[in-house]
Amino acid sequence: RVHHRERSIKILGNLLQNGDFTEKFFRWSGSVENGVYGFLTIEQGQLRFVVNKVYPEKKVVLRVLQAGIPAQGGNRYILSFKARSTSKRNLIAEITMGNMQTRKILSLDEKMKTYTVDTYIPEKELPVAITFAIEQGQADIWLDDVVFQALRY
């Protein structure tokens, strides 16, 4: 429990599956833009984004997502994960529910760090999709320990 403004907040368990990638790509789907020499792989329990060539005409080149995550309206949600890159590089993290989206561009470096993105889901129940994407560039990115939790007051 976390105390916030004199109210108790209960942090619920992870709502997505296989956030530590122990079951490889189970529940995750990945895509590589047409014509891009890149791939997604699991190495030592971490998801790795690899791009082997720069494509000036392409913005987003690789993405991985988990869809159909159950979420109840009227709650705040926190997405947390660990990430690093072989050199300075941006990672896009998106939480999509219906026609609403929370999007955050995070600057990564060589050190594995924990990042968070928070969002509020309105009053109705919606399935949520969590997406990670990388743009142009030649630095690899590693992702691990992805957790999506509801905060209940």
Side-chain angles (χ1 to χ4, degrees):
R1 284 190 184 267
V2 176
H3 292 284
H4 178 70
R5 294 186 198 155
E6 315 252 342
R7 292 188 293 176
S8 180
I9 300 173
K10 183 178 182 183
I11 301 174
L12 304 178
N14 195 0
L15 296 172
L16 61 77
Q17 295 179 28
N18 193 30
D20 60 2
F21 303 102
T22 55
E23 297 180 62
K24 305 288 185 191
F25 287 103
F26 175 72
R27 294 286 297 146
W28 293 95
S29 56
S31 65
V32 180
E33 292 299 311
N34 287 337
V36 171
Y37 295 100
F39 59 93
L40 298 160
T41 186
I42 306 290
E43 293 180 1
Q44 299 172 353
Q46 298 176 344
L47 174 70
R48 182 178 175 195
F49 293 79
V50 180
V51 179
N52 295 324
K53 186 177 172 185
V54 174
Y55 303 88
E57 72 283 1
K58 303 273 186 192
K59 189 144 176 90
V60 172
V61 293
L62 287 172
R63 67 175 39 103
V64 65
L65 72 94
Q66 188 170 137
I69 302 164
Q72 293 183 348
N75 290 314
R76 179 157 292 289
Y77 289 81
I78 302 288
L79 170 66
S80 66
F81 55 92
K82 293 179 183 172
R84 70 178 175 92
S85 179
T86 51
S87 62
K88 288 203 181 286
R89 173 104 169 156
N90 287 341
L91 174 70
I92 301 165
E94 297 173 340
I95 304 168
T96 305
M97 50 262 151
N99 61 358
M100 297 172 294
Q101 184 180 76
T102 299
R103 184 176 202 253
K104 194 168 184 181
I105 299 175
L106 304 152
S107 180
L108 308 181
D109 59 27
E110 298 87 358
K111 185 176 179 188
M112 186 67 94
K113 296 177 195 160
T114 300
Y115 297 87
T116 60
V117 179
D118 67 288
T119 193
Y120 178 78
I121 295 181
E123 294 305 316
K124 61 182 181 175
E125 186 172 325
L126 290 169
V128 170
I130 304 294
T131 304
F132 296 97
I134 61 171
E135 296 179 333
Q136 250 328 328
Q138 285 190 284
D140 295 355
I141 288 178
W142 285 264
L143 184 66
D144 200 7
D145 297 333
V146 183
V147 176
F148 186 64
Q149 297 174 302
L151 303 179
R152 294 246 172 91
Y153 294 93

